Amino acid sequence: MTPTVRQGPASLNLEFYQGDTEGIAVYLPVDLTGAAVRLQVRTSAGAVLVTLVEGSGLQVIPGELPPATPDNPTPTPPSSRINIAPTLPQRDALVGRELRYDLEVTTAGRRETWLRGAFMVVEELTS
């Protein structure tokens, strides 16, 4: 079997619940001090539906290490946490649709796409 070396974002599917305000925390192995972080949600045809940025659907915490796990008992820098928590109006605009996203980080003019995948907002049952 031939080894494959792949450049590009990691694949991570995200699922949110319509009426909730909780988000999903992800850790990137990079210090995001001074970085601009942006997550765009698109239809499968590519039309942008929502853009999440810090203060509107995203919270960026530079320098925060991930919690220890059996596979990584002593996390080391660099690391940063991103809380992905679409606002209620953003969730309402996306509920029940087949969507995709990517998450970009721009630092000093250099852009890197860290994550990509399916993005879903499940319709709430209790309102």
Side-chain angles (χ1 to χ4, degrees):
M1 198 185 257
T2 305
T4 301
V5 177
R6 184 176 153 241
Q7 181 279 325
S11 187
L12 178 68
N13 295 334
L14 301 175
E15 183 176 297
F16 300 92
Y17 203 69
Q18 182 182 13
D20 291 357
T21 55
E22 281 298 310
I24 297 170
V26 296
Y27 291 85
L28 298 183
V30 62
D31 183 352
L32 295 176
T33 301
V37 180
R38 177 174 76 151
L39 183 151
Q40 283 193 330
V41 180
R42 298 174 178 261
T43 63
S44 56
V48 177
L49 297 176
V50 170
T51 299
L52 307 182
V53 295
E54 186 149 17
S56 181
L58 292 182
Q59 178 188 22
V60 179
I61 302 140
E64 185 167 316
L65 295 174
T69 65
D71 291 337
N72 187 10
T74 311
T76 58
S79 181
S80 295
R81 183 177 83 195
I82 300 173
N83 291 328
I84 305 168
T87 64
L88 294 177
Q90 289 168 335
R91 290 177 196 228
D92 287 346
L94 304 173
V95 70
R97 301 176 76 174
E98 187 173 321
L99 306 167
R100 57 193 175 114
Y101 81 96
D102 67 8
L103 184 136
E104 294 179 345
V105 173
T106 304
T107 308
R110 180 179 161 179
R111 185 180 78 189
E112 294 179 280
T113 305
W114 282 89
L115 298 173
R116 68 172 180 82
F119 192 102
M120 176 181 259
V121 177
V122 176
E123 182 178 11
E124 69 181 330
L125 299 177
T126 304
S127 56

